[in-house]
Amino acid sequence: MSRRPCIAANWKMNKTADEADDFLDPFLPSQSADGPEVIICPTFLALGRVAERCAGTSVRVAAQNMHFDDSGAYTGEVSAPMLLDIGVDGVILGHSERRQYFGETDEDLARKVRRAVEAGLEPILCCGETDAQRESGDMEAVLSHQVLTDLAEVHTEDLDKVVIAYEPIWAIGTGRTASDGQAQEAIEFIRSLLRTRDDAKADLVRILYGGSVKPGNAEALLGMPDIDGALVGGAALDPDDFGAIVAAAGNG
Ligand code: 13P
């Protein structure tokens, strides 16, 4: 059983299209197809430019959100066919910032994940607990609810088309990385949840860690048996730092 490592850059609300070019100029020539899967997730406005630049390279491109319907009266939203139309390969779904600031629910996410898979976009489904939930011993209950609800509408044979990112909220943007052991334990638990759907598929699903991943801690995190990659925020804004994290996955 081997899972190809995946390193994704979540640029969040950073970088204009021109700033994206400034990142890609040094970054793209440093990437080769035999390394980990590398995914860049820019804002909607830079997506087209980044997709054009990455076409024909090994680097893939994902959005940071999408709607579950294909079209309709949903002001401000973007759909799966629209993303596919400009050459996008995947989509981050259920990031904690979208859950926290934009009221995204697990019921919405179940529909979004299903639609992404049906449309042929690779979803990166995020889950993770708050500090308070971890302290009160509720981490497993929170992860179970998120993961099992958000994947409920995905057919079992398609489960391995979903990438999962475990991002403990207390570790995002705080510099407080989960220890290798904490991240491994939570991700192993998430894999055990997938086993309740299908044992063989659970071994194929890639589960990433996210939360203050930096060049200095990437290799140790990526060396853990159940951690198949990283979803990187702050350190992914710099091509050298992100390149170092990608290189660490190659060594893992
Ligand atoms: P940081 O790497 O900045 O902690 O962000 C993690 C994250 O939220 C990636 O989606």
Side-chain angles (χ1 to χ4, degrees), residues 153-193:
E153 296 188 29
V154 175
H155 296 299
T156 300
E157 70 261 27
D158 289 332
L159 272 182
D160 55 334
K161 295 183 177 158
V162 180
V163 175
I164 296 177
Y166 168 63
E167 298 206 312
I169 294 167
W170 47 271
I172 295 178
T174 57
R176 239 183 99 194
T177 320
S179 70
D180 320 336
Q182 285 172 320
Q184 163 62 28
E185 187 183 54
I187 289 177
E188 195 177 352
F189 175 71
I190 292 168
R191 202 175 299 287
S192 78
L193 295 171

Side-chain angles (χ1 to χ4, degrees), residues 10 12 95 97 167 171-174 210-213 231-234:
N10 178 7
K12 308 191 180 185
H95 193 280
E97 289 150 13
E167 298 206 312
I172 295 178
T174 57
S212 299
V213 176
L231 180 55
V232 187

Side-chain angles (χ1 to χ4, degrees), residues 33-154:
D34 51 10
E37 180 180 14
V38 175
I39 307 176
I40 310 272
C41 312
T43 71
F44 283 129
L45 291 182
L47 259 182
R49 177 88 63 93
V50 174
E52 269 172 31
R53 291 280 312 266
C54 293
T57 78
S58 61
V59 175
R60 306 180 82 220
V61 182
Q64 297 174 16
N65 182 31
M66 66 165 224
H67 198 271
F68 46 74
D69 272 350
D70 285 356
S71 62
Y74 299 109
T75 301
E77 292 289 314
V78 167
S79 71
M82 295 168 185
L83 296 175
L84 290 166
D85 184 50
I86 59 164
V88 170
D89 305 294
V91 58
I92 296 175
L93 293 174
H95 193 280
S96 60
E97 289 150 13
R98 294 218 53 86
R99 295 175 188 262
Q100 183 180 353
Y101 304 131
F102 304 101
E104 194 154 76
T105 66
D106 289 302
E107 289 65 35
D108 292 338
L109 286 163
R111 300 170 76 180
K112 291 184 180 199
V113 177
R114 180 187 70 188
R115 184 64 197 121
V117 170
E118 281 171 359
L121 288 166
E122 181 171 70
I124 303 174
L125 171 66
C126 302
C127 59
E129 79 288 356
T130 63
D131 214 1
Q133 288 165 336
R134 177 172 273 261
E135 290 303 313
S136 60
D138 291 330
M139 179 187 86
E140 293 193 351
V142 169
L143 293 178
S144 297
H145 179 75
Q146 291 177 341
V147 171
L148 295 177
T149 309
D150 300 354
L151 293 178
E153 296 188 29
V154 175

